[in-house]
Structures are given as structure tokens and as C-alpha cells.
Amino acid sequence: MADKKIVFLDIDGTFTVPLEKPTELASRAVWAARKNGHKVFISTGRNMPIVSEDVLKVGFDGIVASAGRHIEINGNVIRDSVLPEETIQKCLEVFHKFGIYCRIESPEGIYIDSSLQEILTGATAELTNSELIRMKKELTSGVGVKPYTNYPCKGAYKLGFICTDLADIEKTKAYLEPEFHYVVHPYANNADCYNGEIIRRDMDKGEAMERVCEYYGADMADTVAFGDSMNDLQMLESAGIAVAMGNSCQELKDRADIVCERVEEDGIYYEFKRMNLI
């Protein structure tokens, strides 16, 4: 692809304010970069049932969803890999043992413990925690979050979790950390809840970038990744150029090559211009 780039954009807190429509400038950045011969992908932790039509209709060369377990290129699904139900039940058992409530993300949708919904409703979300902001909005947006009792038990892409005691999360790591990346999202010193997710180490956003590069015969040095959350860490670590949004948590900013403007300030558009992608 010579001097052309493959760009990967997280959605919530990066391409859009959580659960809001893309801005005109963010959309223009994608159109113009693609017109100039660059490839632009969405790379999100969301599963496909909750990737909004407002995002998809902007037009992308492909999408990485479910933190890497689902990949589409030019409208073709080249990977869709769910974790076995046995693995999901093992994780649920561990989390529930320590009083942690779960969010199951499967091809059919999102399923949550009733207690998770109660904690979410009263939770205070840090501005750097785009995942918690989105989950709170999902409860009232009609996005299709369903009760855990409706979960079809056919395997899932990943699990999210929420609890009121950070120490409880640490207790689960002896059981699950060898197999999973732990992502705990930003929280204040006086936080009333703690949220995060586990992503199995064999497939994550960074590894999915490698699969996309293989498809195009491109080099990972020619990739650019934009993110705002710690679930973007593997993607930023793998990218040729790693960009953290101005609204990112400090830990992600420290690991990035570049920090651009906040999502509310159309950081993607202005960084695309500085990079001469548009």
C-alpha cells in the first residue's frame, strides 16, 4: 500500500461521544481519508448488534467488533469467534463467587445481571470512563440490553463486570488472569462502583489489526490507531502510530505516541489533518 495508512478508530469516546451521532467533522475525516486512498476501520469493544447505524452509514472499509473477535472487511465477515459456553460459565462462576455482577456480550445481544443494572443506575461516571457513560446511557436509550435470564447460552464474545469493591476484582485474577486481559476503567478516589471487562489474550484489538494487515498485504508499521480507553491498549501498543484522545485516561496517554484533542473537539479530524491523511 506504499505510503497509505490503515487507520483504526475506537467508537465511544473516540469517534463519537458515547451513544451520540458522529459529528460532521469526524465523518468528513473518514470520507476524505478514504478518498485519499487510506483504509479506515472501526475498532470497537461493542458487539455488532449495538454498533449504531449512525456510525456504520458514515462508510468504512471494515469493522473490528467485540474487541477483536469479529472482523469484517468490505462487507465480508472474515472472522466471528465466540468463546465456548463452558468458558463463559466458568468466568461467571468466578465473578459471582466474589459478588461481582456481569454483562455478557454475545452475537444475539447484551445480557446483564439485574444487580448490575441497579448499580449502573446510581453510578457516578468519570468523564474519562467512556464505557461507564455508554452503559448508563444504554439503560434508557432502547439499545436492546436484555436481562441475564434471557441469555441463550450459546457462547459469547466477552464479559464485562461491575462491583462496588475494587478488592473483589483482585480476588478473581488468580482464576482468570492467565487467560484474559483485565481492563479496569478509570475511577475516582471516591468512586461508588468499578467497571471493566475481560478480553481473552488470544484475540484482541491489536491481534485483529494484524489480521487486517495480512488481508491487505500491509505492514503493521503503516497502521494508525485512535483510542480513549484501556480496552484500546493492545491496539495502541500494536500500531505504527498510537493516538490517545484528549479525554483519555492518563495511563493511556502515557502509552501513546500522540495525544490529540478531545472527542468533543473533533480530535480525529484535526489529527487526520496534521498527519496529512486528509
Side-chain angles (χ1 to χ4, degrees), residues 101-127:
Y101 305 109
C102 295
R103 167 190 173 97
I104 306 169
E105 301 183 19
S106 79
E108 298 81 15
I110 294 176
Y111 304 86
I112 63 174
D113 285 332
S114 59
S115 296
L116 184 147
Q117 181 167 341
E118 293 171 17
I119 294 174
L120 268 182
T121 301
T124 302
E126 289 292 292
L127 292 178

Side-chain angles (χ1 to χ4, degrees), residues 193-266:
C193 76
Y194 305 90
N195 69 296
E197 56 199 279
I198 53 173
I199 301 167
R200 202 157 83 169
R201 296 178 183 273
D202 62 337
M203 291 183 192
D204 56 38
K205 286 186 176 185
E207 181 270 344
M209 291 171 65
E210 295 177 8
R211 302 289 79 76
V212 173
C213 283
E214 287 177 3
Y215 180 92
Y216 286 114
D219 195 297
M220 286 289 285
D222 294 323
T223 61
V224 183
F226 286 74
D228 75 296
S229 174
M230 290 306 290
N231 63 5
D232 299 316
L233 178 61
Q234 286 77 41
M235 178 171 72
L236 266 62
E237 287 182 333
S238 300
I241 302 174
V243 185
M245 305 302 292
N247 47 282
S248 301
C249 58
Q250 190 59 47
E251 187 174 354
L252 198 69
K253 290 178 181 178
D254 291 343
R255 310 284 275 275
D257 301 307
I258 297 168
V259 177
C260 71
E261 293 86 349
R262 299 173 58 85
V263 62
E264 300 93 341
E265 300 165 337
D266 289 306

Side-chain angles (χ1 to χ4, degrees), residues 20-259:
E20 293 189 12
K21 295 180 180 180
T23 66
E24 181 182 349
L25 284 182
S27 300
R28 189 189 305 171
V30 173
W31 304 332
R34 295 183 69 207
K35 185 177 180 181
N36 286 343
H38 305 289
K39 304 295 184 185
V40 186
F41 278 68
I42 284 295
S43 183
T44 180
R46 296 194 200 188
N47 56 347
M48 287 303 295
I50 65 162
V51 177
S52 70
E53 189 58 34
D54 290 325
V55 169
L56 294 176
K57 72 182 182 184
V58 170
F60 294 89
D61 293 285
I63 182 164
V64 174
S66 296
R69 303 199 73 88
H70 181 94
I71 303 173
E72 295 184 14
I73 301 178
N74 299 325
N76 298 314
V77 176
I78 67 166
R79 179 164 83 193
D80 187 74
S81 177
V82 296
L83 294 168
E85 185 59 27
E86 180 182 359
T87 300
I88 298 301
Q89 291 301 324
K90 180 185 79 172
C91 294
L92 289 172
E93 182 180 349
V94 170
F95 281 126
H96 290 159
K97 176 180 178 179
F98 293 102
I100 298 172
Y101 305 109
C102 295
R103 167 190 173 97
I104 306 169
E105 301 183 19
S106 79
E108 298 81 15
I110 294 176
Y111 304 86
I112 63 174
D113 285 332
S114 59
S115 296
L116 184 147
Q117 181 167 341
E118 293 171 17
I119 294 174
L120 268 182
T121 301
T124 302
E126 289 292 292
L127 292 178
T128 53
N129 190 341
S130 60
E131 298 299 316
L132 188 58
I133 293 170
R134 173 172 60 83
M135 287 195 295
K136 285 178 65 66
K137 287 184 176 181
E138 282 173 354
L139 294 180
T140 56
S141 70
V143 79
V145 177
K146 305 166 188 175
Y148 171 63
T149 50
N150 290 2
Y151 171 54
C153 297
K154 297 178 181 178
Y157 297 117
K158 64 186 177 84
L159 290 179
F161 57 80
I162 194 166
C163 64
T164 55
D165 189 341
L166 194 61
D168 290 335
I169 298 172
E170 291 300 316
K171 293 172 185 174
T172 68
K173 289 185 176 180
Y175 299 85
L176 300 177
E177 197 168 33
E179 192 175 354
F180 292 90
H181 296 296
Y182 266 72
V183 178
V184 179
H185 296 297
Y187 54 87
N189 290 334
N190 60 345
D192 47 18
C193 76
Y194 305 90
N195 69 296
E197 56 199 279
I198 53 173
I199 301 167
R200 202 157 83 169
R201 296 178 183 273
D202 62 337
M203 291 183 192
D204 56 38
K205 286 186 176 185
E207 181 270 344
M209 291 171 65
E210 295 177 8
R211 302 289 79 76
V212 173
C213 283
E214 287 177 3
Y215 180 92
Y216 286 114
D219 195 297
M220 286 289 285
D222 294 323
T223 61
V224 183
F226 286 74
D228 75 296
S229 174
M230 290 306 290
N231 63 5
D232 299 316
L233 178 61
Q234 286 77 41
M235 178 171 72
L236 266 62
E237 287 182 333
S238 300
I241 302 174
V243 185
M245 305 302 292
N247 47 282
S248 301
C249 58
Q250 190 59 47
E251 187 174 354
L252 198 69
K253 290 178 181 178
D254 291 343
R255 310 284 275 275
D257 301 307
I258 297 168
V259 177

